[in-house]
Amino acid sequence: GRIGIYFGCKFFEGRKGKIEGMWNNLGRAITSDGVNFEVELCEMKAPKGYYPKNNDRFVRISDGRLVCPVAYYENGKCSTTLFISEDDGKTFKIHDTILYIDDELKSKKGFEEPGIIEHEDGSFRIWMRTDVGYQYESFSYDNLKTLTKPVRSEFSSPRSPMEIERGPDGALYTIYNPIPTYNGRYTPYATHGGRNPLVIRKSTDDGKTWGDLYVIEADSWRIDHDTQNVINKMLPSEFISKVFKDSKGRLWIACYNHGIRVYEKDWTLRRSYSTGNSSLSSDLVICLTEKDGKIWAGTDGGGINVIDLENDKLTVLSYIPGDSSSFPAHSIKSIYTDNYGNIWAGSTRDG
């Protein structure tokens, strides 16, 4: 078979760099051997305009057609529609329906960076990022002849894209930036920034329901300034060095120079650890991991603290000058539990 690499081609009328007066087309590079490529412009059956499209958005659906969801830039705001090809990508025709965001939502940017997934029953889900705190969704139940009016999805989100893919196990996986209460943002939504944490969720019933959030990356040092006052009511500091979810679903939050706070799933404070209320060796907790139900906390200056929450016991592994059998480092920058149950710790200047 052939491999096609599709890309956008921008053209300018008037001042280069201004979206007004810019329009684009689709191009592609086709290869059968991965060495020789044939590059060509696709034929576009669509009004002349600017249609932003994003990475990993071209989808071949079950009937063989190629579908690419695109935004449509008009008067400073984006709407969403589809480009559909019935001749293996040589020609794309714009869908009859353009999805507009409701004026009552007072969005400044509209529907951007859309994506599409085909469900097992033949229906389609289209999702779009917004600046009103959620991804929005539209569906098609008649093989893309018509698209439903967009509605708010369950996926809270700042103005950042989302992805949904089907895994080799047949399950659906979605990756996005939620706006939950556990990562330092307590406002109803964030209109800009706030692209942390990055989470993944799994659906085993083809998107009807979605499982728990698993954090892939938590850049928890960066918190919206708008929420600082609210954060301080719950946490002792806006500077969060680590957020860790243990095997029982509890969240361990290490605020810089303020030890650790442990929250149950319902945000009940289970326990706090600091040098003032426990034998924690340092309030500068940098990293966290878990082994056999115990939490290992790496600190800056106090070695490693092993916490048994169930029995409220804390053991400190630290460097003792002159004792060759003691832990070889004071400052732990990273800590990790591998698949064999081994603990790996990275220190400052001590390996």
Side-chain angles (χ1 to χ4, degrees):
R2 299 187 304 167
I3 297 174
I5 301 173
Y6 287 82
F7 50 87
C9 303
K10 293 182 180 179
F11 304 90
F12 296 90
E13 294 177 351
R15 181 182 174 186
K16 186 176 181 180
K18 296 283 288 184
I19 294 181
E20 291 75 12
M22 181 170 65
W23 58 283
N24 63 348
N25 202 342
L26 282 177
R28 66 176 186 169
I30 301 295
T31 180
S32 298
D33 56 13
V35 177
N36 301 295
F37 289 82
E38 180 182 350
V39 181
E40 62 184 8
L41 283 176
C42 303
E43 182 182 351
M44 302 301 299
K45 295 183 177 181
K48 188 175 180 180
Y50 181 49
Y51 301 93
K53 62 202 68 66
N54 298 92
N55 297 331
D56 196 27
R57 291 302 198 245
F58 284 82
V59 176
R60 188 179 294 278
I61 62 177
S62 57
D63 64 8
R65 290 181 293 171
L66 285 176
V67 179
C68 177
V70 297
Y72 174 49
Y73 186 89
E74 185 179 25
N75 299 322
K77 185 182 289 189
C78 284
S79 52
T80 283
T81 189
L82 303 175
F83 284 164
I84 301 176
S85 175
E86 298 180 351
D87 58 3
D88 204 31
K90 289 191 65 176
T91 304
F92 283 88
K93 180 182 178 181
I94 193 171
H95 196 277
D96 292 335
T97 300
I98 295 180
L99 304 173
Y100 294 97
I101 197 165
D102 282 343
D103 291 337
E104 64 184 30
L105 293 174
K106 295 181 171 54
S107 170
K108 294 181 179 180
K109 298 298 181 180
F111 291 142
E112 300 177 290
E113 300 199 37
I116 190 170
I117 189 79
E118 183 174 6
H119 289 293
E120 292 175 341
D121 63 1
S123 64
F124 293 85
R125 178 197 301 251
I126 301 166
W127 65 91
M128 303 147 279
R129 82 174 192 183
T130 72
D131 57 355
V132 296
Y134 283 87
Q135 300 281 328
Y136 268 64
E137 295 175 324
S138 171
F139 295 87
S140 176
Y141 302 103
D142 54 8
N143 204 26
L144 296 179
K145 291 183 177 66
T146 61
L147 309 178
T148 64
K149 181 181 178 180
V151 295
R152 194 181 81 176
S153 75
E154 69 176 87
F155 304 109
S156 65
S157 173
R159 191 183 164 208
S160 65
M162 184 173 78
E163 182 65 282
I164 301 177
E165 294 284 355
R166 191 175 300 279
D169 58 354
L172 292 181
Y173 295 85
T174 181
I175 298 176
Y176 67 109
N177 302 115
I179 311 178
T181 55
Y182 71 75
N183 73 327
R185 292 193 304 272
Y186 295 89
T187 53
Y189 57 84
T191 58
H192 62 280
R195 292 190 174 191
N196 64 82
L198 180 67
V199 305
I200 185 169
R201 296 174 70 183
K202 179 179 180 179
S203 173
T204 58
D205 56 9
D206 204 37
K208 295 181 179 66
T209 61
W210 296 87
D212 291 337
L213 287 75
Y214 292 91
V215 177
I216 300 173
E217 183 180 27
D219 184 10
S220 49
W221 283 88
R222 302 177 65 175
I223 301 173
D224 292 345
H225 293 294
D226 295 342
T227 62
Q228 179 175 340
N229 292 333
V230 182
I231 294 169
N232 289 340
K233 293 179 182 179
M234 189 168 190
L235 299 176
S237 170
E238 65 175 298
F239 297 108
I240 303 172
S241 54
K242 184 65 178 179
V243 177
F244 180 78
K245 186 177 183 180
D246 68 18
S247 57
K248 294 188 176 182
R250 295 176 296 226
L251 288 178
W252 296 64
I253 303 179
C255 291
Y256 190 76
N257 203 29
H258 288 276
I260 307 169
R261 291 196 172 197
V262 187
Y263 291 93
E264 299 288 356
K265 292 181 179 180
D266 62 357
W267 277 98
T268 302
L269 180 63
R270 170 70 180 272
R271 180 74 160 88
S272 65
Y273 293 91
S274 70
T275 55
N277 68 5
S278 70
S279 56
L280 192 73
S281 61
S282 172
D283 288 325
L284 297 170
V285 178
I286 305 299
C287 48
L288 299 163
T289 191
E290 181 178 6
K291 179 183 179 181
D292 299 330
K294 298 180 177 63
I295 300 298
W296 291 52
T299 70
D300 187 0
I304 294 176
N305 293 249
V306 183
I307 303 171
D308 186 341
L309 182 63
E310 303 302 331
N311 299 316
D312 201 27
K313 292 183 179 179
L314 193 153
T315 303
V316 179
L317 306 177
S318 62
Y319 173 67
I320 302 174
D323 185 350
S324 60
S325 63
S326 67
F327 194 74
H330 279 303
S331 298
I332 308 301
K333 301 296 289 183
S334 60
I335 192 166
Y336 173 72
T337 306
D338 67 20
N339 292 332
Y340 300 99
N342 301 309
I343 299 286
W344 296 74
S347 65
T348 303
R349 297 184 298 275
D350 292 300

